[in-house]
Amino acid sequence: MTDPQTPTAPASPPDSPSGGEPEPKAEVGVGPWEGELPEGEHWDPDLLADGDRRNVVDKYRYWKHEAIVADLDSKRHDFHIAIENWQHDLNIGTVVRTANAFLAKEVHIIGRRRWNRRGAMVTDRYQHVRHHPTVEDFVAWAQGEGLAIIGIDIFPDSVPLETYDLPKNCVLVFGQEGPGLTPEVHEAALDTLSIEQFGSTRSINAASAAAIAMHAWIRRHVFSQSV
């Protein structure tokens, strides 16, 4: 119990661990443009006047949204990402955000059209996302585009991602958390790859697996690192 004659210190505010003034939150983005306005069709007059608080790299500050997408389209990589969405997987938003970071050609949602966008952090505005209602529809599309379907999951016939030479033109397919890839995708895949693990857990988070696989493609085809 507290001694009634001993005054207790007031509780610190949530944003003030030392009990002083709350620490100011970091300001996101940049304020209004200072100086002579730049010329060019890609500049957004409203952002120049009001500031740009979007989650974009500095190169794209004050650019129009459509100008950013057009510039990204001019240099997207040759790999696609596909995610099965039968149970409204919460990992999809994070996978889309990572696909944007590694500049995937497109992200494909197989199954339910609706998906949780919270983890995408608005990056889906800059990333092309295509919907396929069924696995059959997705497989027909991939075959028509000449893309190798590569599944990422733990199956008896899976081969290690770490020693696999990923094809340049491919679509990396991920199942949802828990069930993993459906038998239909497993059967349609050219190969299924597993990620080597060294701890006690049987599997890693689907979004984490997607990031590892995408970066493996980047290492192989952007940095020319051999397997």
Side-chain angles (χ1 to χ4, degrees):
M1 295 181 62
T2 302
D3 186 342
Q5 295 181 345
T6 303
T8 57
S12 299
D15 294 331
S16 178
S18 62
E21 291 295 324
E23 296 181 1
K25 294 184 178 180
E27 194 172 54
V28 177
V30 292
W33 182 276
E34 297 181 3
E36 185 177 352
L37 293 177
E39 297 182 358
E41 291 296 322
H42 62 289
W43 299 107
D44 188 309
D46 292 332
L47 294 175
L48 291 170
D50 301 329
D52 189 349
R53 307 298 179 184
R54 299 172 299 176
N55 178 27
V56 296
V57 297
D58 289 343
K59 172 185 176 179
Y60 293 133
R61 292 295 182 199
Y62 304 109
W63 281 37
K64 296 177 181 177
H65 171 259
E66 57 269 25
I68 295 176
V69 174
D71 190 62
L72 294 174
D73 286 347
S74 70
K75 52 191 177 185
R76 292 190 190 276
H77 294 130
D78 294 315
F79 74 95
H80 295 243
I81 298 298
I83 319 160
E84 294 197 86
N85 182 37
W86 308 110
Q87 298 178 5
H88 203 62
D89 194 341
L90 299 179
N91 288 285
I92 292 179
T94 304
V95 174
V96 171
R97 181 181 180 183
T98 306
N100 170 269
F102 291 131
L103 205 55
K105 184 80 73 176
E106 284 187 334
V107 173
H108 302 263
I109 310 296
I110 306 170
R112 294 184 177 183
R113 179 180 293 275
R114 296 185 62 185
W115 54 279
N116 191 315
R117 285 170 164 75
R118 178 176 296 180
M121 298 291 288
V122 198
T123 55
D124 54 302
R125 294 189 61 198
Y126 306 93
Q127 179 66 54
H128 298 297
V129 179
R130 187 192 299 255
H131 175 247
H132 302 272
T134 65
V135 172
E136 291 75 16
D137 178 77
F138 163 73
V139 171
W141 168 85
Q143 292 175 343
E145 295 292 320
L147 295 171
I149 298 175
I150 305 294
I152 309 293
D153 205 341
I154 302 173
F155 290 112
D157 63 345
S158 292
V159 297
L161 168 67
E162 294 79 9
T163 58
Y164 185 84
D165 192 9
L166 284 169
K168 186 174 183 181
N169 297 291
C170 66
V171 52
L172 304 173
V173 192
F174 304 89
Q176 58 192 20
E177 195 72 24
L181 289 174
T182 58
E184 292 80 8
V185 170
H186 185 197
E187 182 178 352
L190 172 65
D191 286 305
T192 55
L193 312 181
S194 60
I195 298 171
E196 190 66 27
Q197 299 168 202
F198 302 91
S200 61
T201 183
R202 182 180 181 277
S203 63
I204 60 177
N205 174 269
S208 299
I212 293 170
M214 284 185 247
H215 196 255
W217 189 98
I218 293 294
R219 290 179 59 193
R220 176 67 183 88
H221 296 290
V222 176
F223 294 96
S224 301
Q225 294 183 9
S226 60
V227 296

